[in-house]
Amino acid sequence: MFPYRPALCAAVALAAAACTPSLNWREVRLAPTTAVALLPCKPDRAERSVPLGGEPTTLAVSGCEAGGATFALMAAKVPAGRAPDELLAGWQQATLANMRVSGTPARQPFHPPKGLPLAHAQRVVAQGQQADGRSVTAQAVWTARTAGDGGTELLHAVMYAERPQPAVADAFFEGIKWP
C-alpha cells in the first residue's frame, strides 16, 4: 500500500539520530570562500598560515565539540594557476599522516552542488590516533569550487570521534553548500 514506507522510515531514523539534544545545528559562513556549512555547536574561529602545496596559504578554521565529537571546517582561497586536485591530495595526505592512520581509509567521491568533480574531492573514513595516543575515527571530506576571480575555493570538513557516527557525519557533510 505504501511503497515508499521503508525509505521514509530510514530517512526519519537518520534525521532523528542527527538531531539529538546535544547537537544544535547552525549555519556558519566559511570566509574567505563563499561556502556555508552547518556546525552542531557554536564554533571557535581562527586563521593561520599553512604550507598548502608548498606555498603559504591562509586557512580559516571553525570548530567545536558536541555529542562526543570534534567538528572542524577549514577553508582557503588560492589564486588561479594552482592545481586544486593536487592541493586536495596533499591536504588529505597531511591530515591522515597527522592522525597516524592505521589500515586503509575508506574513500568515496564527494561532489556537493557547484563543487568541482576532482579525483581527490572525496569523503574519507579512517581509523587513527589522537595526539595522546587514544584511538579516533575521522570522517572527513575535501572539495573545491572555481572562484569568481578564476582562483579556487578549497574546503575541508572533518568530524573526529571515538566511534563512527555515520548519521551525524551525513548531516554535517550535507550542510556544506556554495550559493
Side-chain angles (χ1 to χ4, degrees):
M1 181 176 195
F2 294 104
Y4 301 108
R5 191 173 201 173
L8 177 62
C9 290
V12 169
L14 179 67
C19 295
T20 65
S22 64
L23 303 178
N24 181 9
W25 296 95
R26 66 206 62 219
E27 187 174 274
V28 177
R29 297 211 172 276
L30 302 173
T33 72
T34 59
V36 294
L38 295 176
L39 273 174
C41 39
K42 185 177 179 182
D44 292 321
R45 296 176 185 263
E47 270 191 15
R48 61 182 177 167
S49 181
V50 297
L52 196 57
E55 293 187 34
T57 304
T58 301
L59 186 65
V61 181
S62 298
C64 59
E65 293 183 14
T70 300
F71 298 83
L73 294 161
M74 290 153 258
K77 188 172 177 186
V78 295
R82 300 206 40 208
D85 196 51
E86 289 176 22
L87 295 173
L88 293 181
W91 201 346
Q92 279 186 28
Q93 183 180 15
T95 300
L96 298 174
N98 188 50
M99 64 177 282
R100 299 180 299 278
V101 168
S102 58
T104 302
R107 298 174 186 271
Q108 66 185 49
F110 181 75
H111 302 126
K114 300 185 183 176
L116 294 170
L118 302 172
H120 290 93
Q122 296 179 337
R123 181 170 176 171
V124 175
V125 178
Q127 295 293 128
Q129 293 181 349
Q130 297 181 31
D132 64 6
R134 288 184 295 147
S135 180
V136 69
T137 298
Q139 296 172 94
V141 296
W142 288 263
T143 187
R145 171 190 159 159
T146 302
D149 62 3
T152 306
E153 297 179 352
L154 305 172
L155 181 67
H156 169 45
V158 62
M159 177 182 148
Y160 294 106
E162 187 176 321
R163 290 177 306 286
Q165 299 177 31
V168 176
D170 288 345
F172 182 37
F173 301 143
E174 288 168 8
I176 296 170
K177 308 266 186 265
W178 272 291

